[in-house]
Amino acid sequence: MLAAGAVVGEAEGNGRIERGVFKARDMSGTLFGGALRANIDAGVFDPAWPLHFAARLKNFDLARLTREIEPGDVSLTGMATVDVIVHMQEGDFTNIQVTGRSIEGFSMDRATVHQILMTQYAEDMAGGKQLRRIVDEVVGDAPQRAFDVAELQLRLREGSIKGTTTLESDNLNLTVNLTVDPGAVLDALELRQEIQLDKLDSISANPVESGE
């Protein structure tokens, strides 16, 4: 089963149509190695196509997510749980709430952490060499920078998806403010869906032949 370009395994659930609304409760499956539970309400006979989606993805693998989603050069590891609420009307988001947390084995690639620190403190410190030396010492040499806790909060506000990512460790705490264009998110999801469908069509058209 495909959902926004992601492959949901072992999908199960029952739905019914009630007063023109398709309702699915306690749908379950696996996604990125984690356990997915979701509820869906979709106005299938309404021209505005209203959609309410609420889900929890528990104990999923961040490394697997970054391998499959390919978010640029960012590399994450660890296990996380995320709660998502999405409302849509006429193909646009009307409500988005995302809350995520990782407290097991979380890490982010050194290059991204280094870039975040350099950007945040460049205006506060004079001397690029001094700043780079301090950042290098804090980030360390390992390819992945470990954190004890990572949290994500996103909300739809004033036409944009806004929120924060908070990373905490003994000697480094980071807060990154995020602003994302909802239209760009929709375009990315549609593109991933098309790519995955093309892959499935290719597999169907060229099945692997078993050896004799």
Side-chain angles (χ1 to χ4, degrees):
M1 175 182 173
L2 282 179
V7 179
V8 179
E10 304 176 14
E12 295 183 357
N14 296 310
R16 70 183 189 278
I17 294 181
E18 183 177 307
R19 296 181 180 178
V21 177
F22 172 77
K23 296 186 176 185
R25 295 291 181 268
D26 295 324
M27 297 187 68
S28 64
T30 60
L31 181 62
F32 307 125
L36 177 66
R37 304 281 293 191
N39 294 327
I40 300 173
D41 287 0
V44 292
F45 301 116
D46 189 330
W49 191 258
L51 173 69
H52 289 186
F53 173 83
R56 166 170 282 194
L57 181 57
K58 187 175 181 180
N59 294 333
F60 69 97
D61 185 350
L62 288 166
R64 183 170 172 179
L65 178 144
T66 52
R67 285 196 305 270
E68 296 187 21
I69 298 299
E70 299 178 346
D73 296 326
V74 177
S75 175
L76 305 176
T77 69
M79 307 300 290
T81 294
V82 63
D83 292 299
V84 178
I85 295 175
V86 174
H87 297 172
M88 298 187 70
Q89 187 93 359
E90 297 182 339
D92 293 322
F93 294 117
T94 58
N95 182 30
I96 295 176
Q97 299 178 42
V98 179
T99 302
R101 182 175 173 87
S102 175
I103 58 173
E104 181 182 345
F106 181 87
S107 73
M108 178 180 287
D109 64 281
R110 180 185 185 280
T112 299
V113 176
H114 195 281
Q115 181 180 7
I116 292 171
L117 279 170
M118 291 294 293
T119 301
Q120 288 188 347
Y121 295 109
E123 297 180 357
D124 298 331
M125 296 185 63
K129 290 183 179 180
Q130 179 187 9
L131 173 60
R132 184 172 293 276
R133 183 170 62 253
I134 294 172
V135 169
D136 287 343
E137 291 176 358
V138 172
V139 176
D141 298 325
Q144 293 286 127
R145 185 26 160 107
F147 291 88
D148 300 319
V149 178
E151 295 183 332
L152 172 67
Q153 299 279 345
L154 293 174
R155 298 289 186 273
L156 182 64
R157 297 172 182 164
E158 300 175 348
S160 296
I161 303 171
K162 299 180 180 181
T164 58
T165 295
T166 303
L167 309 176
E168 299 179 0
S169 68
D170 288 340
N171 64 343
L172 178 60
N173 296 325
L174 289 175
T175 298
V176 181
N177 295 319
L178 304 171
T179 300
V180 183
D181 177 15
V185 173
L186 285 173
D187 290 343
L189 293 175
E190 290 176 1
L191 178 60
R192 281 199 54 80
Q193 185 80 359
E194 292 175 1
I195 291 173
Q196 292 296 338
L197 288 173
D198 287 343
K199 287 181 179 179
L200 291 176
D201 289 342
S202 177
I203 292 172
S204 300
N206 301 284
V208 177
E209 296 182 1
S210 59
E212 297 181 358

